Amino acid sequence: MCGIVGYIGKRPAVEVLLKGLSRLEYRGYDSTGIALRLETENSEGSKIEIRKSEGKLENVQKLATSLPAQAKNSLCGIGHTRWATHGKPTTQNAHPHRTGHVVLVHNGIIENYQEIKEELLARGHKPASETDSELFGFLVLDEMAKGLGLREAVIVSFRGIIGVCSVVVMSERELGKIIGVRNGTPMVAALDPSGGAILASDAQPILEYTNDVFFMGDGDLVELSEGGAEFFDLTTGLPKKVESTHLDWSIDRIDRGGYPHYMLKEIYEQPTALVDTLNALLDRAKIESFPLAKHRGTELLMAAEELVFVACGSSWHAALLGKYWLEKYARISVSVELASEFRYRDPVLRPGALVIGVSQSGETADTLAVIRAMKKQGVPTLAVVNVRGSPIAREAEGVFFTAAGPEIGVASTKALLTQFLTLLTFAGALSAKRHHEHGKKGSTDPLTDALFKNTLVLPHALTAYLEATDGVAKQAQTIAKSLVDAKGFFFIGRGYSYPVALEGALKLKEIAYVHAEGYAAGELKHGPIAMIDSDMVVVVLAPKDAWRDKTVSNLEEVKARGARIVSIGAPSDSHLRSLSDFWIPLPELEDDALLPFAMTPAVQLLSYEIAVLKGTDIDKPRNLAKSVTVE
Ligand code: M6R
């Protein structure tokens, strides 16, 4: 996910920016860049020098060594790590973008970029990149041409923007200022005790200089200058007060990024983990949808006629969800097996079957045993694993690595979402293959293409969902307070929501030690409904998808029997909301198939907040191990 740093003060800006960007590397990115204010014009006649490159930060670090002295000594600049959504991850598309005298970096998505682009083209502008970000620079440029100052021009330009995005802008016409706007994606600002001010996508680059920060809210604008930081309201343009927060972070807490528990940190790292996993899975230089990178694993997957997943715990839930996607998009036969059962059965596998072990740790004894046994029998095996060098990764014939990074909390969160993404990507890639095989060579499948497009912007949508003020985190906290003493919980859902219901119940059991069952909503009346009374809570996963109405009928059945209802559904679903005692709205995603990526964090946060109130050892729940290496 994109990361932003901006600095003006008394320190060499290039050092502040590069160090700051290195602290934001964890967010996931595929290109980097910096822009530095110059005291006098450079050979191109401009007063802002830009260096950017595709690939890792070290590419720009190298470019920075050959900067002219006046850029090296610059005391003001902005920097960016980009993760491509609109346009490929090339140097051209990397930020900062220059538009005349305006230079900017951007994090998020301008949803109406197509309309804006057409309008700008009609006005005679010629964008140099494929990005939505660059377009904002033209808007500011045009407003400044009408006589507005930089801050006013940014405010007016923002009025035409639809989408969740933050921008940071400089102009050669007002070289003593950096303007930053937070609108859905995070931004933190601070005063540098040695003079000047800094802003960044999170507090990590700032903690180097000060522990007192301003967490900006959505719709806040900050103007950084040598004199410090002033805040304004983006809608009214009037000055506003933003309270500062003192971050009294121990080294340990800094390791946890300021979060009280690794699990919470890892919940918030999920968008980044998705970005990194997409980068690992795909060959992003290709233009088709879901272009899997070339390796043995891809060959095995593409040759398979039937998929047999083996896994345990949350990884099994991921596989179950994968089945829904694979059947729908790729029309391939899929079975999902508990590794501990499968290994002692005498299963019948058809020729062409591929056995896929899904495991976060890559060490789970039962999953490993199945992979070994299948290999012995000459059955092709594939692994979806988070830990490199782990036994399952070594044993399987082909491997796809999820890129969740180290997951410290014993209860799996971000690793699970990266498993989801990997299996969704398998569905997309197999669907594209199927489409080509059906004689539509060169053409693309609109359903798969739309899914791919929406998958690329999913991390942004998830960030906005997780980080919204008074959003899902706050809702989960409030609900937890009312339900902490409930006797037990059912999590119910149909379709894509069913595996998520299983996961919600598992999370609550694991970290809060509260009895919970996950059920396919249609199964409730076949027994468990006998348990329902007013001491029971039913968490109903009912997004507006093909299964919603049926799930709502099941909700009515448990409501009639006195259960307290927590619903998780579409923000516009007022009927569902009216039936519920507690309510967590989901984000509006273009594609129903992607809703598990938002529902899962919602149930994770609910379980987390209940566990906090129970005072359990959240990161190391009793009796559990991160790697289950015994049967
Ligand atoms: O490492 P694995 O994904 O193979 O582990 C499988 C399960 O042990 C694991 O998912 C377990 O259920 C977690 N504690 C879930 O939070």
Short mmCIF file of all heavy atoms in Angstrom, two decimals, residues 490 492-494 519-534 536-538 540 547-565 567 575-576 579-581:
data_model
loop_
_atom_site.label_atom_id
_atom_site.label_comp_id
_atom_site.label_asym_id
_atom_site.label_seq_id
_atom_site.Cartn_x
_atom_site.Cartn_y
_atom_site.Cartn_z
N PHE A 490 -23.42 -18.13 18.26
CA PHE A 490 -23.43 -18.80 16.97
C PHE A 490 -23.02 -17.78 15.92
O PHE A 490 -23.44 -16.62 16.00
CB PHE A 490 -24.84 -19.31 16.61
CG PHE A 490 -25.17 -20.61 17.26
CD1 PHE A 490 -25.88 -20.65 18.46
CD2 PHE A 490 -24.78 -21.81 16.68
CE1 PHE A 490 -26.18 -21.85 19.07
CE2 PHE A 490 -25.08 -23.02 17.28
CZ PHE A 490 -25.78 -23.04 18.49
N ILE A 492 -23.43 -17.41 11.93
CA ILE A 492 -24.08 -18.10 10.81
C ILE A 492 -23.92 -17.32 9.50
O ILE A 492 -23.84 -16.09 9.49
CB ILE A 492 -25.59 -18.37 11.08
CG1 ILE A 492 -26.37 -17.07 11.28
CG2 ILE A 492 -25.76 -19.29 12.27
CD1 ILE A 492 -27.89 -17.27 11.24
N GLY A 493 -23.88 -18.06 8.41
CA GLY A 493 -23.79 -17.44 7.09
C GLY A 493 -24.00 -18.50 6.03
O GLY A 493 -23.97 -19.71 6.32
N ARG A 494 -24.25 -18.05 4.83
CA ARG A 494 -24.39 -18.95 3.68
C ARG A 494 -23.41 -18.51 2.59
O ARG A 494 -23.04 -17.34 2.55
CB ARG A 494 -25.80 -18.88 3.10
CG ARG A 494 -26.87 -19.50 3.95
CD ARG A 494 -28.25 -19.13 3.41
NE ARG A 494 -29.30 -19.68 4.24
CZ ARG A 494 -30.06 -20.74 3.92
NH1 ARG A 494 -29.89 -21.36 2.77
NH2 ARG A 494 -31.00 -21.16 4.74
N TYR A 519 -21.89 -22.01 11.90
CA TYR A 519 -22.84 -22.88 11.20
C TYR A 519 -23.23 -22.32 9.84
O TYR A 519 -23.33 -21.09 9.68
CB TYR A 519 -24.13 -23.03 12.03
CG TYR A 519 -24.16 -24.35 12.78
CD1 TYR A 519 -23.65 -24.45 14.06
CD2 TYR A 519 -24.68 -25.49 12.17
CE1 TYR A 519 -23.64 -25.66 14.73
CE2 TYR A 519 -24.67 -26.70 12.83
CZ TYR A 519 -24.15 -26.79 14.12
OH TYR A 519 -24.14 -27.98 14.76
N ALA A 520 -23.47 -23.21 8.91
CA ALA A 520 -24.14 -22.80 7.69
C ALA A 520 -25.56 -22.44 8.12
O ALA A 520 -26.22 -23.24 8.80
CB ALA A 520 -24.16 -23.95 6.70
N ALA A 521 -26.01 -21.24 7.75
CA ALA A 521 -27.27 -20.74 8.32
C ALA A 521 -28.42 -21.72 8.11
O ALA A 521 -29.29 -21.88 8.97
CB ALA A 521 -27.60 -19.39 7.72
N GLY A 522 -28.40 -22.42 7.00
CA GLY A 522 -29.49 -23.36 6.69
C GLY A 522 -29.49 -24.59 7.59
O GLY A 522 -30.47 -25.34 7.63
N GLU A 523 -28.41 -24.81 8.31
CA GLU A 523 -28.30 -25.99 9.16
C GLU A 523 -28.84 -25.77 10.57
O GLU A 523 -29.03 -26.73 11.32
CB GLU A 523 -26.82 -26.40 9.27
CG GLU A 523 -26.33 -27.27 8.13
CD GLU A 523 -26.99 -28.64 8.11
OE1 GLU A 523 -26.80 -29.43 9.06
OE2 GLU A 523 -27.74 -28.89 7.14
N LEU A 524 -29.09 -24.52 10.93
CA LEU A 524 -29.48 -24.22 12.31
C LEU A 524 -30.69 -25.02 12.76
O LEU A 524 -30.73 -25.55 13.85
CB LEU A 524 -29.83 -22.73 12.42
CG LEU A 524 -28.72 -21.77 12.82
CD1 LEU A 524 -29.32 -20.41 13.09
CD2 LEU A 524 -27.98 -22.27 14.06
N LYS A 525 -31.67 -25.08 11.86
CA LYS A 525 -32.92 -25.71 12.27
C LYS A 525 -32.80 -27.24 12.34
O LYS A 525 -33.72 -27.91 12.76
CB LYS A 525 -34.08 -25.27 11.37
CG LYS A 525 -33.95 -25.63 9.92
CD LYS A 525 -35.24 -25.37 9.17
CE LYS A 525 -35.43 -23.91 8.82
NZ LYS A 525 -34.49 -23.39 7.82
N HIS A 526 -31.67 -27.76 11.95
CA HIS A 526 -31.49 -29.21 12.02
C HIS A 526 -30.86 -29.63 13.35
O HIS A 526 -30.20 -30.66 13.43
CB HIS A 526 -30.63 -29.69 10.83
CG HIS A 526 -31.30 -29.39 9.53
ND1 HIS A 526 -32.40 -30.08 9.08
CD2 HIS A 526 -31.05 -28.43 8.60
CE1 HIS A 526 -32.79 -29.58 7.92
NE2 HIS A 526 -31.99 -28.57 7.61
N GLY A 527 -31.03 -28.85 14.35
CA GLY A 527 -30.53 -29.23 15.67
C GLY A 527 -30.15 -28.06 16.55
O GLY A 527 -30.78 -27.82 17.58
N PRO A 528 -29.15 -27.27 16.13
CA PRO A 528 -28.62 -26.26 17.05
C PRO A 528 -29.65 -25.23 17.50
O PRO A 528 -29.48 -24.61 18.55
CB PRO A 528 -27.51 -25.58 16.24
CG PRO A 528 -27.43 -26.24 14.94
CD PRO A 528 -28.38 -27.37 14.88
N ILE A 529 -30.73 -25.07 16.77
CA ILE A 529 -31.72 -24.06 17.15
C ILE A 529 -32.29 -24.35 18.54
O ILE A 529 -32.77 -23.45 19.24
CB ILE A 529 -32.82 -23.94 16.06
CG1 ILE A 529 -33.52 -22.59 16.19
CG2 ILE A 529 -33.78 -25.11 16.10
CD1 ILE A 529 -34.30 -22.18 14.96
N ALA A 530 -32.19 -25.61 18.97
CA ALA A 530 -32.66 -25.98 20.32
C ALA A 530 -31.88 -25.23 21.40
O ALA A 530 -32.36 -25.07 22.52
CB ALA A 530 -32.52 -27.48 20.51
N MET A 531 -30.69 -24.80 21.07
CA MET A 531 -29.84 -24.09 22.04
C MET A 531 -30.24 -22.62 22.21
O MET A 531 -29.77 -21.94 23.13
CB MET A 531 -28.38 -24.07 21.54
CG MET A 531 -27.75 -25.39 21.28
SD MET A 531 -27.07 -26.08 22.76
CE MET A 531 -25.86 -24.84 23.23
N ILE A 532 -31.03 -22.11 21.29
CA ILE A 532 -31.24 -20.66 21.26
C ILE A 532 -32.17 -20.19 22.37
O ILE A 532 -33.28 -20.70 22.53
CB ILE A 532 -31.81 -20.23 19.88
CG1 ILE A 532 -30.85 -20.59 18.74
CG2 ILE A 532 -32.14 -18.73 19.86
CD1 ILE A 532 -29.54 -19.86 18.72
N ASP A 533 -31.69 -19.22 23.14
CA ASP A 533 -32.54 -18.51 24.10
C ASP A 533 -31.94 -17.11 24.27
O ASP A 533 -31.01 -16.75 23.53
CB ASP A 533 -32.64 -19.26 25.44
CG ASP A 533 -31.27 -19.43 26.11
OD1 ASP A 533 -30.34 -18.66 25.78
OD2 ASP A 533 -31.13 -20.32 26.96
N SER A 534 -32.43 -16.35 25.21
CA SER A 534 -32.01 -14.95 25.28
C SER A 534 -30.58 -14.78 25.81
O SER A 534 -30.05 -13.68 25.80
CB SER A 534 -32.99 -14.16 26.14
OG SER A 534 -33.06 -14.77 27.41
N MET A 536 -28.18 -16.33 24.39
CA MET A 536 -27.35 -16.66 23.21
C MET A 536 -27.25 -15.46 22.27
O MET A 536 -28.23 -14.74 22.08
CB MET A 536 -27.99 -17.79 22.41
CG MET A 536 -27.65 -19.15 22.88
SD MET A 536 -25.92 -19.49 22.57
CE MET A 536 -25.82 -21.07 23.35
N VAL A 537 -26.09 -15.33 21.67
CA VAL A 537 -25.90 -14.30 20.66
C VAL A 537 -25.73 -15.00 19.31
O VAL A 537 -25.01 -16.00 19.22
CB VAL A 537 -24.62 -13.47 20.95
CG1 VAL A 537 -24.37 -12.46 19.84
CG2 VAL A 537 -24.74 -12.78 22.30
N VAL A 538 -26.41 -14.48 18.29
CA VAL A 538 -26.19 -15.02 16.95
C VAL A 538 -25.60 -13.91 16.08
O VAL A 538 -26.20 -12.83 15.94
CB VAL A 538 -27.50 -15.56 16.33
CG1 VAL A 538 -27.23 -16.12 14.93
CG2 VAL A 538 -28.10 -16.65 17.22
N VAL A 540 -24.88 -12.77 12.58
CA VAL A 540 -25.44 -13.13 11.27
C VAL A 540 -24.65 -12.43 10.18
O VAL A 540 -24.59 -11.20 10.13
CB VAL A 540 -26.92 -12.69 11.20
CG1 VAL A 540 -27.53 -13.09 9.86
CG2 VAL A 540 -27.71 -13.28 12.35
N TRP A 547 -27.25 -14.97 -1.35
CA TRP A 547 -27.75 -15.77 -0.22
C TRP A 547 -28.45 -14.93 0.84
O TRP A 547 -28.98 -15.46 1.79
CB TRP A 547 -26.56 -16.51 0.43
CG TRP A 547 -25.86 -17.47 -0.47
CD1 TRP A 547 -26.22 -18.76 -0.73
CD2 TRP A 547 -24.66 -17.24 -1.22
NE1 TRP A 547 -25.33 -19.34 -1.58
CE2 TRP A 547 -24.35 -18.43 -1.91
CE3 TRP A 547 -23.81 -16.14 -1.39
CZ2 TRP A 547 -23.25 -18.55 -2.74
CZ3 TRP A 547 -22.71 -16.27 -2.22
CH2 TRP A 547 -22.43 -17.45 -2.89
N ARG A 548 -28.40 -13.63 0.70
CA ARG A 548 -28.83 -12.73 1.77
C ARG A 548 -30.25 -13.02 2.29
O ARG A 548 -30.48 -13.12 3.49
CB ARG A 548 -28.70 -11.28 1.28
CG ARG A 548 -29.05 -10.22 2.29
CD ARG A 548 -30.42 -9.63 1.96
NE ARG A 548 -30.84 -8.65 2.94
CZ ARG A 548 -32.11 -8.48 3.26
NH1 ARG A 548 -33.07 -9.21 2.71
NH2 ARG A 548 -32.44 -7.56 4.14
N ASP A 549 -31.22 -13.16 1.39
CA ASP A 549 -32.61 -13.29 1.85
C ASP A 549 -32.81 -14.57 2.65
O ASP A 549 -33.54 -14.60 3.64
CB ASP A 549 -33.56 -13.28 0.64
CG ASP A 549 -33.53 -11.92 -0.05
OD1 ASP A 549 -32.89 -11.00 0.50
OD2 ASP A 549 -34.11 -11.79 -1.14
N LYS A 550 -32.16 -15.62 2.22
CA LYS A 550 -32.29 -16.90 2.94
C LYS A 550 -31.68 -16.76 4.34
O LYS A 550 -32.24 -17.26 5.32
CB LYS A 550 -31.55 -18.01 2.20
CG LYS A 550 -32.04 -18.23 0.79
CD LYS A 550 -32.88 -19.49 0.70
CE LYS A 550 -33.47 -19.69 -0.67
NZ LYS A 550 -34.88 -19.52 -0.75
N THR A 551 -30.55 -16.10 4.42
CA THR A 551 -29.91 -15.93 5.73
C THR A 551 -30.79 -15.08 6.64
O THR A 551 -30.91 -15.35 7.84
CB THR A 551 -28.52 -15.27 5.57
OG1 THR A 551 -27.79 -16.02 4.61
CG2 THR A 551 -27.75 -15.25 6.87
N VAL A 552 -31.44 -14.06 6.07
CA VAL A 552 -32.30 -13.20 6.88
C VAL A 552 -33.48 -14.01 7.42
O VAL A 552 -33.90 -13.82 8.57
CB VAL A 552 -32.75 -11.95 6.08
CG1 VAL A 552 -33.81 -11.17 6.84
CG2 VAL A 552 -31.54 -11.06 5.80
N SER A 553 -33.99 -14.95 6.63
CA SER A 553 -35.07 -15.82 7.15
C SER A 553 -34.56 -16.59 8.36
O SER A 553 -35.27 -16.74 9.36
CB SER A 553 -35.52 -16.84 6.11
OG SER A 553 -35.91 -16.18 4.96
N ASN A 554 -33.34 -17.09 8.30
CA ASN A 554 -32.78 -17.82 9.44
C ASN A 554 -32.59 -16.90 10.64
O ASN A 554 -32.79 -17.31 11.79
CB ASN A 554 -31.45 -18.48 9.06
CG ASN A 554 -31.59 -19.44 7.90
OD1 ASN A 554 -30.86 -19.38 6.91
ND2 ASN A 554 -32.57 -20.34 7.98
N LEU A 555 -32.25 -15.66 10.35
CA LEU A 555 -32.13 -14.67 11.43
C LEU A 555 -33.48 -14.55 12.16
O LEU A 555 -33.56 -14.55 13.39
CB LEU A 555 -31.70 -13.33 10.84
CG LEU A 555 -31.52 -12.11 11.75
CD1 LEU A 555 -30.70 -11.05 11.02
CD2 LEU A 555 -32.80 -11.47 12.24
N GLU A 556 -34.56 -14.44 11.36
CA GLU A 556 -35.89 -14.26 11.96
C GLU A 556 -36.22 -15.44 12.88
O GLU A 556 -36.82 -15.27 13.93
CB GLU A 556 -36.95 -14.15 10.86
CG GLU A 556 -36.60 -13.10 9.81
CD GLU A 556 -37.57 -11.94 9.76
OE1 GLU A 556 -38.19 -11.66 10.79
OE2 GLU A 556 -37.67 -11.33 8.68
N GLU A 557 -35.78 -16.63 12.47
CA GLU A 557 -36.09 -17.82 13.28
C GLU A 557 -35.41 -17.74 14.66
O GLU A 557 -36.02 -18.07 15.67
CB GLU A 557 -35.61 -19.08 12.55
CG GLU A 557 -36.46 -19.42 11.33
CD GLU A 557 -35.72 -20.29 10.30
OE1 GLU A 557 -34.59 -20.75 10.60
OE2 GLU A 557 -36.26 -20.47 9.20
N VAL A 558 -34.16 -17.29 14.68
CA VAL A 558 -33.47 -17.25 15.99
C VAL A 558 -33.91 -16.03 16.80
O VAL A 558 -33.97 -16.07 18.03
CB VAL A 558 -31.93 -17.30 15.85
CG1 VAL A 558 -31.48 -18.67 15.43
CG2 VAL A 558 -31.40 -16.24 14.91
N LYS A 559 -34.25 -14.98 16.10
CA LYS A 559 -34.74 -13.77 16.79
C LYS A 559 -36.05 -14.11 17.52
O LYS A 559 -36.25 -13.73 18.67
CB LYS A 559 -34.95 -12.66 15.76
CG LYS A 559 -35.24 -11.31 16.38
CD LYS A 559 -35.38 -10.26 15.28
CE LYS A 559 -36.00 -8.98 15.79
NZ LYS A 559 -35.20 -8.29 16.79
N ALA A 560 -36.91 -14.85 16.82
CA ALA A 560 -38.20 -15.23 17.43
C ALA A 560 -38.00 -16.06 18.69
O ALA A 560 -38.88 -16.14 19.54
CB ALA A 560 -39.02 -16.00 16.40
N ARG A 561 -36.85 -16.67 18.81
CA ARG A 561 -36.58 -17.51 19.99
C ARG A 561 -35.73 -16.78 21.03
O ARG A 561 -35.17 -17.39 21.92
CB ARG A 561 -35.93 -18.83 19.55
CG ARG A 561 -36.98 -19.71 18.88
CD ARG A 561 -36.39 -20.77 17.99
NE ARG A 561 -37.47 -21.57 17.41
CZ ARG A 561 -38.16 -21.24 16.32
NH1 ARG A 561 -37.88 -20.12 15.67
NH2 ARG A 561 -39.14 -22.01 15.87
N GLY A 562 -35.61 -15.48 20.86
CA GLY A 562 -35.01 -14.65 21.91
C GLY A 562 -33.54 -14.31 21.77
O GLY A 562 -33.00 -13.56 22.58
N ALA A 563 -32.86 -14.87 20.76
CA ALA A 563 -31.41 -14.61 20.64
C ALA A 563 -31.15 -13.13 20.39
O ALA A 563 -31.95 -12.44 19.76
CB ALA A 563 -30.84 -15.42 19.49
N ARG A 564 -30.02 -12.67 20.92
CA ARG A 564 -29.58 -11.31 20.56
C ARG A 564 -28.82 -11.40 19.24
O ARG A 564 -28.01 -12.32 19.06
CB ARG A 564 -28.71 -10.73 21.67
CG ARG A 564 -29.56 -10.24 22.83
CD ARG A 564 -28.72 -9.77 23.97
NE ARG A 564 -28.03 -10.86 24.64
CZ ARG A 564 -27.08 -10.68 25.56
NH1 ARG A 564 -26.71 -9.47 25.88
NH2 ARG A 564 -26.50 -11.71 26.14
N ILE A 565 -29.10 -10.43 18.38
CA ILE A 565 -28.57 -10.54 17.01
C ILE A 565 -27.52 -9.46 16.74
O ILE A 565 -27.76 -8.28 16.94
CB ILE A 565 -29.71 -10.33 15.98
CG1 ILE A 565 -30.91 -11.24 16.27
CG2 ILE A 565 -29.19 -10.52 14.55
CD1 ILE A 565 -30.69 -12.71 16.03
N SER A 567 -25.69 -8.25 13.43
CA SER A 567 -25.68 -8.47 11.97
C SER A 567 -24.50 -7.77 11.33
O SER A 567 -24.12 -6.67 11.74
CB SER A 567 -26.95 -7.93 11.33
OG SER A 567 -28.00 -8.77 11.65
N HIS A 575 -33.33 -2.95 6.32
CA HIS A 575 -34.20 -4.01 6.83
C HIS A 575 -33.42 -4.92 7.78
O HIS A 575 -33.86 -5.20 8.91
CB HIS A 575 -34.78 -4.80 5.66
CG HIS A 575 -35.61 -5.98 6.09
ND1 HIS A 575 -36.70 -5.84 6.92
CD2 HIS A 575 -35.49 -7.31 5.85
CE1 HIS A 575 -37.22 -7.04 7.16
NE2 HIS A 575 -36.51 -7.94 6.53
N LEU A 576 -32.26 -5.34 7.32
CA LEU A 576 -31.41 -6.20 8.16
C LEU A 576 -31.06 -5.49 9.46
O LEU A 576 -31.15 -6.04 10.56
CB LEU A 576 -30.13 -6.57 7.39
CG LEU A 576 -29.09 -7.40 8.16
CD1 LEU A 576 -29.64 -8.76 8.54
CD2 LEU A 576 -27.83 -7.57 7.32
N LEU A 579 -33.72 -5.49 12.07
CA LEU A 579 -33.96 -6.77 12.74
C LEU A 579 -32.89 -7.08 13.80
O LEU A 579 -32.99 -8.07 14.50
CB LEU A 579 -33.93 -7.90 11.70
CG LEU A 579 -35.04 -7.92 10.65
CD1 LEU A 579 -34.76 -8.98 9.60
CD2 LEU A 579 -36.39 -8.17 11.32
N SER A 580 -31.88 -6.23 13.87
CA SER A 580 -30.69 -6.58 14.65
C SER A 580 -30.57 -5.74 15.91
O SER A 580 -30.97 -4.58 15.94
CB SER A 580 -29.43 -6.35 13.80
OG SER A 580 -29.63 -6.87 12.50
N ASP A 581 -29.99 -6.35 16.95
CA ASP A 581 -29.70 -5.59 18.18
C ASP A 581 -28.40 -4.81 18.01
O ASP A 581 -28.21 -3.77 18.60
CB ASP A 581 -29.58 -6.55 19.36
CG ASP A 581 -30.86 -7.33 19.56
OD1 ASP A 581 -31.85 -6.73 19.99
OD2 ASP A 581 -30.87 -8.55 19.23
#
